[in-house]
Amino acid sequence: MKLLPIVLFLSACAPAAAQSHDGSRILQQLEKADSNGDGAVSRSEFTTFRQKQFARMDRNGDGYMTESDIPRLVASRLPAGMQADQLVREFDADGDKKVSRDEFGGGPTVVFDRVDVDHDGIATKAELGAAQAALAAR
């Protein structure tokens, strides 16, 4: 299903209001950002990964993600309490009601920040493993 990766990616990148409804899948998305294959994800790898995913988000190809780019089906799968317009507002740094590739790449990194418990800018193998274990224990 083409929309599922978008939903998972939105969830992984979403602000605090979008608490994980399926945390293991969100962590899998974070792990996919490991571009050098060392098992750890740097903040730089994460933001680069997010920027590469932007084309999926910009469904009409105009260079921006707006509320209209988030189809109703995707919006219905967002975590509880999150609306499409809220997602856009969280990433819209300049307030123009649309999200550029740079705004998306540099936007909130709540999931990354929670996994990177020592806040050194790298989600290590141990930190990713601890996050997986914590989710399994829930």
Side-chain angles (χ1 to χ4, degrees), residues 46-60:
F46 181 67
T47 57
T48 298
F49 174 77
R50 217 160 47 174
Q51 286 176 330
K52 288 178 183 176
Q53 298 300 313
F54 183 80
R56 286 181 166 169
M57 310 305 296
D58 177 18
R59 295 176 64 82
N60 66 3

Side-chain angles (χ1 to χ4, degrees), residues 111-124 126-127 130-131:
V111 171
F112 182 90
D113 295 339
R114 288 185 186 205
V115 171
D116 180 21
V117 294
D118 63 3
H119 306 293
D120 66 352
I122 300 171
T124 64
E127 288 170 325

Side-chain angles (χ1 to χ4, degrees), residues 4 9 13 16 25-26 31-32 35 41 58-59 61 73 85-86 96-97 100 104 109 112-113 115 121 131:
L4 185 58
F9 190 73
C13 302
R25 287 187 180 182
I26 291 171
E31 290 169 343
K32 286 182 181 182
S35 62
V41 180
D58 177 18
R59 295 176 64 82
L73 177 61
D85 63 328
Q86 178 185 3
D96 63 358
K97 298 185 181 189
S100 69
F104 190 66
T109 58
F112 182 90
D113 295 339
V115 171

Side-chain angles (χ1 to χ4, degrees), residues 8-110:
L8 295 174
F9 190 73
L10 281 170
S11 299
C13 302
Q19 297 303 314
S20 169
H21 62 296
D22 185 350
S24 63
R25 287 187 180 182
I26 291 171
L27 285 175
Q28 288 171 357
Q29 290 296 310
L30 179 61
E31 290 169 343
K32 286 182 181 182
D34 179 16
S35 62
N36 65 5
D38 66 356
V41 180
S42 69
R43 182 175 301 282
S44 176
E45 283 177 312
F46 181 67
T47 57
T48 298
F49 174 77
R50 217 160 47 174
Q51 286 176 330
K52 288 178 183 176
Q53 298 300 313
F54 183 80
R56 286 181 166 169
M57 310 305 296
D58 177 18
R59 295 176 64 82
N60 66 3
D62 67 355
Y64 296 95
M65 181 181 68
T66 63
E67 188 178 345
S68 65
D69 286 313
I70 303 171
R72 196 171 12 181
L73 177 61
V74 171
S76 71
R77 292 183 169 188
L78 288 173
M82 171 153 276
Q83 302 293 320
D85 63 328
Q86 178 185 3
L87 181 69
V88 170
R89 280 194 314 270
E90 291 290 337
F91 285 88
D92 180 16
D94 62 10
D96 63 358
K97 298 185 181 189
K98 54 189 178 180
V99 179
S100 69
R101 180 181 306 274
D102 289 340
E103 286 173 321
F104 190 66
T109 58
V110 173

